[in-house]
CSV table of all heavy atoms in Angstrom, one decimal:
chain,number,residue,atom,x,y,z
K,102,GLY,N,-25.8,-13.1,2.9
K,102,GLY,CA,-24.9,-12.0,2.6
K,102,GLY,C,-24.7,-11.0,3.6
K,102,GLY,O,-24.6,-9.8,3.3
K,103,ASN,N,-24.6,-11.4,4.9
K,103,ASN,CA,-24.4,-10.5,6.0
K,103,ASN,C,-25.5,-9.5,6.1
K,103,ASN,O,-25.3,-8.4,6.7
K,103,ASN,CB,-23.1,-9.9,5.9
K,103,ASN,CG,-22.6,-9.3,7.2
K,103,ASN,OD1,-22.8,-9.9,8.2
K,103,ASN,ND2,-21.9,-8.1,7.2
K,104,ARG,N,-26.7,-9.8,5.6
K,104,ARG,CA,-27.8,-8.9,5.7
K,104,ARG,C,-27.6,-7.4,5.1
K,104,ARG,O,-28.3,-6.5,5.4
K,104,ARG,CB,-28.3,-8.7,7.2
K,104,ARG,CG,-28.7,-10.1,7.8
K,104,ARG,CD,-29.3,-9.8,9.2
K,104,ARG,NE,-29.7,-11.1,9.8
K,104,ARG,CZ,-28.9,-11.7,10.7
K,104,ARG,NH1,-27.7,-11.2,11.0
K,104,ARG,NH2,-29.3,-12.8,11.2
K,105,ALA,N,-26.5,-7.3,4.4
K,105,ALA,CA,-26.2,-6.1,3.8
K,105,ALA,C,-25.8,-6.0,2.4
K,105,ALA,O,-25.5,-5.0,1.8
K,105,ALA,CB,-25.1,-5.4,4.7
K,106,GLY,N,-25.7,-7.3,1.8
K,106,GLY,CA,-25.4,-7.4,0.4
K,106,GLY,C,-23.9,-7.4,0.2
K,106,GLY,O,-23.5,-7.7,-0.9
K,107,LYS,N,-23.1,-7.1,1.2
K,107,LYS,CA,-21.6,-7.1,1.0
K,107,LYS,C,-21.0,-7.4,2.3
K,107,LYS,O,-21.3,-6.9,3.4
K,107,LYS,CB,-21.1,-5.7,0.5
K,107,LYS,CG,-19.6,-5.7,0.1
K,107,LYS,CD,-19.2,-4.4,-0.4
K,107,LYS,CE,-17.8,-4.5,-1.1
K,107,LYS,NZ,-16.8,-5.2,-0.2
K,108,ALA,N,-20.0,-8.4,2.2
K,108,ALA,CA,-19.4,-8.8,3.4
K,108,ALA,C,-18.5,-7.7,4.0
K,108,ALA,O,-18.0,-6.8,3.2
K,108,ALA,CB,-18.5,-10.0,3.1
K,109,PRO,N,-18.3,-7.6,5.3
K,109,PRO,CA,-17.4,-6.6,5.9
K,109,PRO,C,-15.9,-6.8,5.5
K,109,PRO,O,-15.5,-8.0,5.3
K,109,PRO,CB,-17.6,-6.8,7.4
K,109,PRO,CG,-18.0,-8.1,7.5
K,109,PRO,CD,-18.9,-8.5,6.4
K,110,ASP,N,-15.3,-5.7,5.4
K,110,ASP,CA,-13.8,-5.8,5.0
K,110,ASP,C,-13.0,-5.5,6.3
K,110,ASP,O,-13.6,-5.0,7.3
K,110,ASP,CB,-13.4,-4.8,4.0
K,110,ASP,CG,-14.1,-5.1,2.6
K,110,ASP,OD1,-14.0,-6.3,2.2
K,110,ASP,OD2,-14.7,-4.2,2.0
K,111,SER,N,-11.7,-5.8,6.3
K,111,SER,CA,-10.8,-5.5,7.4
K,111,SER,C,-9.6,-4.7,6.8
K,111,SER,O,-9.1,-4.9,5.7
K,111,SER,CB,-10.4,-6.8,8.1
K,111,SER,OG,-9.8,-7.7,7.2
K,112,TYR,N,-9.2,-3.7,7.6
K,112,TYR,CA,-8.0,-2.9,7.2
K,112,TYR,C,-7.0,-2.7,8.4
K,112,TYR,O,-7.5,-2.7,9.5
K,112,TYR,CB,-8.6,-1.5,6.7
K,112,TYR,CG,-9.6,-1.5,5.6
K,112,TYR,CD1,-10.9,-1.5,5.9
K,112,TYR,CD2,-9.1,-1.8,4.3
K,112,TYR,CE1,-11.8,-1.6,4.8
K,112,TYR,CE2,-10.0,-1.8,3.3
K,112,TYR,CZ,-11.4,-1.8,3.5
K,112,TYR,OH,-12.3,-1.9,2.5
K,113,TYR,N,-5.8,-2.7,8.0
K,113,TYR,CA,-4.7,-2.7,9.0
K,113,TYR,C,-3.9,-1.5,8.8
K,113,TYR,O,-3.3,-1.4,7.7
K,113,TYR,CB,-3.9,-3.9,8.9
K,113,TYR,CG,-3.1,-4.3,10.2
K,113,TYR,CD1,-3.5,-5.4,11.0
K,113,TYR,CD2,-2.0,-3.5,10.6
K,113,TYR,CE1,-2.8,-5.7,12.2
K,113,TYR,CE2,-1.3,-3.9,11.7
K,113,TYR,CZ,-1.7,-5.0,12.5
K,113,TYR,OH,-0.9,-5.3,13.6
K,114,LEU,N,-3.8,-0.6,9.7
K,114,LEU,CA,-2.9,0.6,9.7
K,114,LEU,C,-1.7,0.3,10.6
K,114,LEU,O,-1.7,0.3,11.8
K,114,LEU,CB,-3.6,1.8,10.2
K,114,LEU,CG,-4.8,2.3,9.5
K,114,LEU,CD1,-5.3,3.7,9.9
K,114,LEU,CD2,-4.6,2.4,7.9
K,115,PRO,N,-0.5,-0.1,9.9
K,115,PRO,CA,0.6,-0.6,10.7
K,115,PRO,C,1.3,0.6,11.4
K,115,PRO,O,1.2,1.8,11.0
K,115,PRO,CB,1.5,-1.2,9.6
K,115,PRO,CG,1.2,-0.5,8.4
K,115,PRO,CD,-0.3,-0.1,8.5
K,116,ALA,N,2.2,0.2,12.4
K,116,ALA,CA,2.9,1.2,13.1
K,116,ALA,C,3.8,2.0,12.2
K,116,ALA,O,4.2,3.1,12.5
K,116,ALA,CB,3.7,0.5,14.3
K,117,ALA,N,4.2,1.3,11.0
K,117,ALA,CA,5.2,2.1,10.1
K,117,ALA,C,4.5,3.0,9.2
K,117,ALA,O,5.1,3.5,8.2
K,117,ALA,CB,5.9,1.0,9.3
K,118,ARG,N,3.2,3.3,9.4
K,118,ARG,CA,2.5,4.0,8.3
K,118,ARG,C,3.0,5.5,8.2
K,118,ARG,O,3.0,6.0,7.0
K,118,ARG,CB,1.0,4.1,8.8
K,118,ARG,CG,0.7,4.8,10.1
K,118,ARG,CD,-0.7,4.7,10.6
K,118,ARG,NE,-1.1,5.1,11.9
K,118,ARG,CZ,-0.9,4.4,13.0
K,118,ARG,NH1,-0.4,3.2,12.8
K,118,ARG,NH2,-1.1,4.9,14.1
K,119,SER,N,3.5,6.1,9.2
K,119,SER,CA,4.0,7.4,9.1
K,119,SER,C,5.3,7.4,8.2
K,119,SER,O,5.4,8.3,7.3
K,119,SER,CB,4.4,8.0,10.5
K,119,SER,OG,5.1,9.3,10.4
K,120,GLY,N,6.2,6.5,8.4
K,120,GLY,CA,7.4,6.4,7.5
K,120,GLY,C,6.9,6.1,6.1
K,120,GLY,O,7.6,6.6,5.1
K,121,ILE,N,6.0,5.2,5.9
K,121,ILE,CA,5.6,4.9,4.5
K,121,ILE,C,5.0,6.1,3.8
K,121,ILE,O,5.3,6.4,2.7
K,121,ILE,CB,4.5,3.8,4.7
K,121,ILE,CG1,5.2,2.4,5.1
K,121,ILE,CG2,3.8,3.6,3.2
K,121,ILE,CD1,4.2,1.3,5.3
K,122,MET,N,4.2,6.9,4.5
K,122,MET,CA,3.7,8.1,4.0
K,122,MET,C,4.7,9.1,3.6
K,122,MET,O,4.7,9.7,2.5
K,122,MET,CB,2.7,8.7,4.9
K,122,MET,CG,1.3,7.9,5.1
K,122,MET,SD,0.4,7.5,3.6
K,122,MET,CE,-0.2,9.2,3.1
K,123,GLN,N,5.8,9.3,4.5
K,123,GLN,CA,6.8,10.2,4.2
K,123,GLN,C,7.7,9.8,3.1
K,123,GLN,O,8.3,10.6,2.4
K,123,GLN,CB,7.6,10.5,5.4
K,123,GLN,CG,6.8,11.2,6.6
K,123,GLN,CD,7.7,11.7,7.7
K,123,GLN,OE1,8.9,11.4,7.7
K,123,GLN,NE2,7.2,12.5,8.6
K,124,SER,N,7.9,8.5,2.8
K,124,SER,CA,8.8,8.0,1.8
K,124,SER,C,7.9,7.5,0.6
K,124,SER,O,8.5,6.8,-0.3
K,124,SER,CB,9.6,6.9,2.3
K,124,SER,OG,8.8,5.8,2.8
K,125,ARG,N,6.7,7.8,0.6
K,125,ARG,CA,5.8,7.3,-0.6
K,125,ARG,C,6.3,7.7,-1.9
K,125,ARG,O,6.3,6.8,-2.9
K,125,ARG,CB,4.3,7.8,-0.4
K,125,ARG,CG,3.4,7.2,-1.3
K,125,ARG,CD,2.2,8.2,-1.6
K,125,ARG,NE,2.8,9.2,-2.5
K,125,ARG,CZ,2.9,9.2,-3.8
K,125,ARG,NH1,2.5,8.1,-4.5
K,125,ARG,NH2,3.4,10.2,-4.4
K,126,ASP,N,6.7,8.9,-2.1
K,126,ASP,CA,7.2,9.3,-3.4
K,126,ASP,C,8.5,8.5,-3.8
K,126,ASP,O,8.7,8.1,-5.0
K,126,ASP,CB,7.7,10.9,-3.4
K,126,ASP,CG,6.5,11.7,-3.2
K,126,ASP,OD1,5.3,11.2,-3.5
K,126,ASP,OD2,6.6,12.9,-2.8
K,127,VAL,N,9.4,8.3,-2.9
K,127,VAL,CA,10.6,7.5,-3.2
K,127,VAL,C,10.2,6.1,-3.5
K,127,VAL,O,10.8,5.4,-4.5
K,127,VAL,CB,11.6,7.5,-2.0
K,127,VAL,CG1,12.7,6.6,-2.2
K,127,VAL,CG2,12.0,8.9,-1.7
K,128,LEU,N,9.2,5.5,-2.7
K,128,LEU,CA,8.8,4.1,-3.0
K,128,LEU,C,8.1,4.0,-4.3
K,128,LEU,O,8.4,3.0,-5.0
K,128,LEU,CB,7.8,3.7,-1.9
K,128,LEU,CG,8.4,3.4,-0.6
K,128,LEU,CD1,7.3,3.2,0.5
K,128,LEU,CD2,9.2,2.1,-0.5
K,129,SER,N,7.3,4.9,-4.7
K,129,SER,CA,6.6,4.9,-6.0
K,129,SER,C,7.6,4.9,-7.2
K,129,SER,O,7.5,4.2,-8.1
K,129,SER,CB,5.6,6.0,-6.1
K,129,SER,OG,6.2,7.3,-6.1
K,130,THR,N,8.6,5.8,-7.1
K,130,THR,CA,9.6,5.9,-8.1
K,130,THR,C,10.4,4.6,-8.2
K,130,THR,O,10.7,4.0,-9.3
K,130,THR,CB,10.6,7.0,-7.8
K,130,THR,OG1,9.9,8.2,-7.7
K,130,THR,CG2,11.7,7.1,-8.9
K,131,ALA,N,10.8,4.0,-7.0
K,131,ALA,CA,11.5,2.7,-7.1
K,131,ALA,C,10.7,1.6,-7.7
K,131,ALA,O,11.1,0.8,-8.4
K,131,ALA,CB,11.9,2.4,-5.6
K,132,LEU,N,9.3,1.6,-7.4
K,132,LEU,CA,8.5,0.5,-8.0
K,132,LEU,C,8.4,0.7,-9.5
K,132,LEU,O,8.4,-0.3,-10.2
K,132,LEU,CB,7.1,0.6,-7.3
K,132,LEU,CG,6.9,0.2,-5.9
K,132,LEU,CD1,5.5,0.6,-5.4
K,132,LEU,CD2,7.1,-1.3,-5.8
K,133,ILE,N,8.3,1.9,-10.0
K,133,ILE,CA,8.2,2.1,-11.4
K,133,ILE,C,9.6,1.6,-12.1
K,133,ILE,O,9.5,0.9,-13.1
K,133,ILE,CB,8.0,3.5,-11.7
K,133,ILE,CG1,6.6,3.9,-11.3
K,133,ILE,CG2,8.1,3.8,-13.2
K,133,ILE,CD1,6.3,5.4,-11.3
K,134,LYS,N,10.7,2.0,-11.5
K,134,LYS,CA,12.0,1.6,-12.1
K,134,LYS,C,12.2,0.1,-12.0
K,134,LYS,O,12.7,-0.5,-13.0
K,134,LYS,CB,13.1,2.3,-11.4
K,134,LYS,CG,13.3,3.8,-11.7
K,134,LYS,CD,14.4,4.5,-11.0
K,134,LYS,CE,14.5,5.9,-11.4
K,134,LYS,NZ,15.7,6.5,-10.8
K,135,ARG,N,11.8,-0.5,-10.9
K,135,ARG,CA,12.0,-1.9,-10.7
K,135,ARG,C,11.0,-2.8,-11.7
K,135,ARG,O,11.4,-3.8,-12.1
K,135,ARG,CB,11.6,-2.3,-9.3
K,135,ARG,CG,12.2,-3.7,-8.9
K,135,ARG,CD,12.0,-3.8,-7.3
K,135,ARG,NE,12.6,-5.1,-6.9
K,135,ARG,CZ,13.9,-5.3,-6.6
K,135,ARG,NH1,14.7,-4.3,-6.6
K,135,ARG,NH2,14.3,-6.4,-6.2
K,136,ALA,N,9.9,-2.2,-12.0
K,136,ALA,CA,9.0,-2.9,-12.8
K,136,ALA,C,9.5,-3.0,-14.2
K,136,ALA,O,9.1,-3.9,-15.0
K,136,ALA,CB,7.7,-2.2,-12.9
K,137,THR,N,10.5,-2.2,-14.6
K,137,THR,CA,11.0,-2.2,-16.0
K,137,THR,C,12.5,-2.8,-16.0
K,137,THR,O,13.1,-2.8,-17.1
K,137,THR,CB,11.1,-0.8,-16.6
K,137,THR,OG1,11.9,0.1,-15.8
K,137,THR,CG2,9.6,-0.2,-16.7
K,138,ARG,N,13.0,-3.2,-14.8
K,138,ARG,CA,14.3,-3.6,-14.8
K,138,ARG,C,14.5,-5.0,-15.5
K,138,ARG,O,13.7,-6.0,-15.3
K,138,ARG,CB,14.8,-3.7,-13.4
K,138,ARG,CG,16.3,-4.0,-13.2
K,138,ARG,CD,16.7,-4.0,-11.7
K,138,ARG,NE,16.5,-2.8,-11.1
K,138,ARG,CZ,16.6,-2.6,-9.9
K,138,ARG,NH1,17.0,-3.6,-9.1
K,138,ARG,NH2,16.3,-1.4,-9.3
K,139,ILE,N,15.5,-5.2,-16.4
K,139,ILE,CA,15.8,-6.4,-17.0
K,139,ILE,C,16.3,-7.4,-16.1
K,139,ILE,O,17.2,-7.1,-15.2
K,139,ILE,CB,16.7,-6.2,-18.2
K,139,ILE,CG1,16.0,-5.3,-19.2
K,139,ILE,CG2,17.1,-7.5,-18.9
K,139,ILE,CD1,16.9,-4.9,-20.3
K,140,GLY,N,15.9,-8.6,-16.1
K,140,GLY,CA,16.5,-9.7,-15.2
K,140,GLY,C,16.0,-9.6,-13.8
K,140,GLY,O,16.7,-10.1,-12.9
C-alpha cells in the first residue's frame, strides 16, 4: 500500500483555471438548470 496506507493522487491545474474560476458562478447556474432540463 505504498508504505503509507494510501496511494498517491495526481491533480492537474489546467491553463484555463483562471477563466474557470472567474466564470464559476455562471457555470454552476448553468449546471443546475441543465440538470433539470427536459429532453
Side-chain angles (χ1 to χ4, degrees):
N103 198 37
R104 300 189 181 95
K107 191 179 190 307
D110 295 311
S111 52
Y112 301 99
Y113 200 110
L114 300 188
R118 59 190 174 275
S119 176
I121 290 173
M122 293 301 291
Q123 290 192 354
S124 58
R125 191 213 65 88
D126 293 340
V127 176
L128 286 169
S129 61
T130 302
L132 286 171
I133 293 169
K134 288 184 177 181
R135 197 172 183 87
T137 59
R138 189 178 300 174
I139 298 174

